[in-house]
Amino acid sequence: MTLLAGCGGGPPTPTPTPSPSPTATAAPAEGLAVGITELSPLLVAAPGARDAPDPFARWRDQLAAIHPRYYRLALSWNTLQPDPAQPPNLDQPQTGCMRDKPPCSPWAGVRDQLRALASRQRQGGWEALVVITGTPAWAAAPQQGCLEGSAGPVSAPIKPEALPAYRTLIGDVLAAARSAGATLRYWSPWNEPNLAYFVSPQRAACDPGSPSLAARTYVPVAEAMRQALAAAPGDQQLVLGETAGATTDSARRTSVGSFIGGLPRELVCSAAAWAQHAYVGAPDPVDAVSSALDAKGCDRVPPIWITETGVGAVDTQFALTRGIRSEGEGCRRLHDALVRWWRDPRVTAAFQYTFREDNLFRVGLVSTDLAAARPVLREWQAWGQRPDPAAPPPPDSCG
């Protein structure tokens, strides 16, 4: 659930189930690499690359201690380009708050994020995955069907005549990255396209038995991204999915199995990876994703990246993590999930969402006010500090 500033909402609410505690066996060839999502360039940039006042500097160093192989950058198209007559504003000033919560330290939009990313990539790691979300009002197709769970025009399908502007956005961001010295290798067309909050309607009628429209809506966007990446200089690769971890269908969501089943085989088989969201406390969607990918009959089945995961704070209102009674328990359940994915040769990466906690989506590693870390920070640092992704899991760091 990518909740950028100005966005809100929540994921589906399945009944939490405990994670097993597997015993590690021989490491798979690919292992499990770690990644991170974090908006603020003050927390991302390498020391000396830009000024970072306290407490940002303190936590910047703690984030770096995770040694992420991957960095996930989310672009909110509706805020970058509210006017079709103007190009996307990649220098859009940001307050540096978490929504409206201090501490705040301003930064200058996407270009500032790219400069910060470049400073880390020069040190190694931090391969970028870019995901787009948020339909501008001028690009929104009429929303006809079941609007249960919709966020309004920002979740509307992109009308066909706006797809050239979507391709232009991709080209503009790639050009800005080249100018900043950053490499944006992996791209995903849309965030959580199987959830009504991000793509609506999911169905023509508010009935789980009504055929899903999600894959049909997604395919033109994915094809537009594929065209834009092929036309741009460099080696960019398409990552499909970024799907919410829905394992069952409802009026407002499409299960991952149904969503993948609705995509063209050629498109699925062309993907560098399948990006899947899987939060601790919810049923693990990996088996459903794997089965649906296998059914496509690809010569090379895309590996699965868990591009959003995390565990909620004890007092969170996040439905998936209710019932976790302590920070220690949540941390141990995260550890169990990471070990399980390490053991699964289909899963090759897991990304924490986010570093600084979103006060409306409380699954971060440090508090919104940047006053304290949660136990799960040590767990992610232990995983990231292994010599390579195939190395055995670290001991439980939860205390």
Side-chain angles (χ1 to χ4, degrees):
M1 180 63 63
T2 301
L3 296 178
L4 303 177
C7 299
T13 56
T15 302
T17 56
S19 302
S21 302
T23 301
T25 57
E30 292 291 338
L32 187 72
V34 300
I36 191 74
T37 300
E38 174 52 50
L39 286 175
S40 173
L42 282 80
L43 293 169
V44 169
R50 64 160 299 152
D51 292 333
D54 284 332
F56 290 91
R58 171 194 174 195
W59 294 116
R60 172 201 64 199
D61 297 340
Q62 292 295 314
L63 170 53
I66 297 173
H67 300 304
R69 179 172 178 177
Y70 296 107
Y71 170 74
R72 182 168 172 268
L73 175 64
L75 301 178
S76 182
W77 186 19
N78 60 306
T79 61
L80 292 173
Q81 194 177 18
D83 181 354
Q86 300 296 323
N89 184 359
L90 305 184
D91 301 292
Q92 191 174 66
Q94 303 294 317
T95 65
C97 310
M98 175 51 72
R99 300 184 188 274
D100 60 344
K101 305 300 181 188
C104 307
S105 190
W107 45 279
V110 173
R111 289 188 205 277
D112 212 352
Q113 292 175 300
L114 294 173
R115 287 188 288 267
L117 174 61
S119 73
R120 287 299 183 185
Q121 288 183 335
R122 287 192 289 270
Q123 298 177 336
W126 297 77
E127 288 190 80
L129 167 64
V130 182
V131 59
I132 299 175
T133 192
T135 307
W138 54 267
Q143 290 176 283
Q144 299 175 339
C146 178
L147 299 184
E148 184 178 312
S150 171
V154 73
S155 62
I158 302 171
K159 58 187 179 183
E161 55 267 36
L163 288 173
Y166 174 86
R167 292 195 293 267
T168 298
L169 169 70
I170 295 167
D172 287 355
V173 174
L174 280 168
R178 290 192 296 273
S179 179
T183 299
L184 304 180
R185 185 178 183 190
Y186 299 105
W187 287 75
S188 195
W190 207 256
N191 184 64
E192 296 198 342
N194 61 330
L195 197 66
Y197 190 85
F198 292 95
V199 173
S200 180
Q202 289 284 303
R203 305 177 190 278
C206 292
D207 178 349
S210 178
S212 173
L213 306 173
R216 185 189 314 174
T217 300
Y218 181 79
V219 169
V221 184
E223 292 292 355
M225 174 169 277
R226 184 157 65 166
Q227 294 165 15
L229 298 180
D235 176 22
Q236 291 80 226
Q237 298 190 34
L238 184 69
V239 172
L240 295 178
E242 289 284 346
T243 36
T247 55
T248 59
D249 290 288
S250 76
R252 64 174 66 189
R253 66 177 181 258
T254 300
S255 69
V256 290
S258 296
F259 183 79
I260 295 170
L263 298 178
R265 176 184 180 275
E266 188 274 335
L267 178 63
V268 173
C269 296
S270 73
W274 182 271
Q276 180 59 49
H277 300 177
Y279 283 92
V280 175
D284 191 328
V286 165
D287 285 344
V289 172
S290 184
S291 295
L293 292 176
D294 288 345
K296 292 298 180 182
C298 301
D299 292 336
R300 170 195 167 274
V301 179
I304 300 169
W305 291 358
I306 307 298
T307 52
E308 283 191 18
T309 192
V311 61
V314 175
D315 59 347
T316 186
Q317 293 302 302
F318 179 36
L320 296 182
T321 58
R322 290 174 188 159
I324 294 178
R325 296 178 294 272
S326 70
E327 294 280 3
E329 179 190 354
C331 183
R332 287 187 290 275
R333 289 177 65 172
L334 172 68
H335 176 83
D336 290 346
L338 294 173
V339 171
R340 184 170 67 249
W341 294 328
W342 173 85
R343 296 178 71 221
D344 190 332
R346 300 166 295 184
V347 182
T348 59
F351 296 50
Q352 160 66 27
Y353 183 88
T354 52
F355 183 74
R356 183 183 182 182
E357 192 157 81
D358 184 332
N359 57 297
L360 297 186
F361 193 66
R362 298 192 56 208
V363 292
L365 301 183
V366 300
S367 59
T368 303
D369 62 6
L370 298 181
R374 296 179 57 216
V376 285
L377 173 59
R378 295 191 299 272
E379 182 69 16
W380 282 104
Q381 289 172 338
W383 279 85
Q385 290 170 14
R386 293 173 301 146
D388 63 72
D396 180 327
S397 300
C398 299

